[in-house]
Amino acid sequence: MAVLSTIRSLFSSAIPIENETIVPAPLTSYAVKPLTEKHAKEVLKLNLRCFRNGENYTKHTFNYLFTEPNILSYQAIAEDGQMAGFVFVILNKDGTAHLTTIGVAPEHRRRGVAGSMLGHVEAALIVKGISTIVLEVRVQNVTAQTLYTRFGYSTVKRITKYYADGEDCYLMVKSLV
Ligand SMILES: CC(C)(COP(=O)(O)OP(=O)(O)OC[C@H]1O[C@@H](n2cnc3c(N)ncnc32)[C@H](O)[C@@H]1OP(=O)(O)O)[C@@H](O)C(=O)NCCC(=O)NCCS
């Protein structure tokens, strides 16, 4: 879990950004592709739009994630080339994986983008022989909990004051076998 604790130490507190008016994007298809260091600026910007109230991944967090060898990262790209979503997963030495973050641009939400990235991640993990994927989610983030439950994750425990602002999390797990 050294990777995870390093990531947590690189969080910054919530960065206030201006409220934006969300206009749904034109209908488009999405392709899930690897996310690499050359997309660092774009993913940082999208991350700030996705996570307004909690710990934000900073430039340093992403730099760290992009240079760690045991990390899978994908982006969902709309037909116009815009990054619509991102996901990062840590591969642990014990044969499990840890979904550290997933976000979808507000104008592309509720179109199956997160589901499609989760499906992509799972297929890649199965090829690598990973049997279990775990994640933490804020107790107040019912949207994300609904997504994970819909994709077969179960809540196994509540961890008190997991986040820096004192909010608890649910630990959710999915078996890939
Ligand atoms: C959570 C998040 C990634 C979902 O992305 P998305 O692309 O809109 O999700 P999908 O369209 O793939 O949704 C799949 C299913 O998840 C559930 N779901 C997703 N958004 C939901 C919402 N706002 N309300 C209720 N259920 C929702 C539904 O079951 C949905 O299936 P349905 O549309 O057929 O009903 C996105 O809302 C987001 O980026 N939120 C901010 C960042 C965040 O909280 N990340 C998770 C951190 S743990």
Side-chain angles (χ1 to χ4, degrees):
M1 295 314 246
V3 176
L4 197 63
S5 49
T6 306
I7 293 170
R8 285 172 64 76
S9 73
L10 293 170
F11 281 154
S12 73
S13 47
I15 298 168
I17 60 170
E18 280 172 29
N19 278 335
E20 54 177 339
T21 309
I22 307 301
V23 179
L27 287 180
T28 174
S29 62
Y30 301 93
V32 179
K33 301 246 168 89
L35 176 62
T36 66
E37 208 163 355
K38 69 177 186 212
H39 311 109
K41 267 194 187 154
E42 207 178 349
V43 74
L44 178 63
K45 222 163 119 187
L46 180 53
N47 156 79
L48 288 174
R49 294 180 64 218
C50 288
F51 294 93
R52 287 159 165 269
N53 302 316
E55 289 95 342
N56 291 108
Y57 279 26
T58 61
K59 196 165 97 177
H60 303 293
T61 327
F62 285 113
N63 285 345
Y64 176 76
L65 287 168
F66 283 129
T67 50
E68 260 296 306
N70 294 320
I71 289 188
L72 284 183
S73 45
Y74 294 103
Q75 58 178 325
I77 310 174
E79 284 169 47
D80 64 1
Q82 195 200 345
M83 185 187 293
F86 62 90
V87 61
F88 284 84
V89 180
I90 301 171
L91 310 180
N92 296 318
K93 289 198 176 109
D94 62 0
T96 64
H98 201 125
L99 194 149
T100 64
T101 187
I102 182 167
V104 171
E107 64 276 18
H108 290 284
R109 285 187 189 160
R110 220 57 201 268
R111 296 178 179 187
V113 174
S116 146
M117 291 193 296
L118 285 178
H120 214 86
V121 160
E122 286 180 16
L125 293 179
I126 288 167
V127 167
K128 289 178 181 296
I130 303 281
S131 59
T132 310
I133 181 162
V134 303
L135 59 87
E136 292 88 17
V137 56
R138 286 180 178 269
V139 292
Q140 288 184 38
N141 194 348
V142 177
T143 298
Q145 290 160 32
T146 310
L147 166 76
Y148 300 136
T149 305
R150 165 91 190 270
F151 282 86
Y153 289 75
S154 308
T155 301
V156 290
K157 117 172 165 191
R158 180 172 177 141
I159 304 174
T160 312
K161 297 192 174 137
Y162 179 78
Y163 295 99
D165 63 2
E167 188 173 343
D168 296 355
C169 78
Y170 291 123
L171 183 66
M172 298 186 81
V173 177
K174 179 175 179 179
S175 167
L176 301 176
V177 289

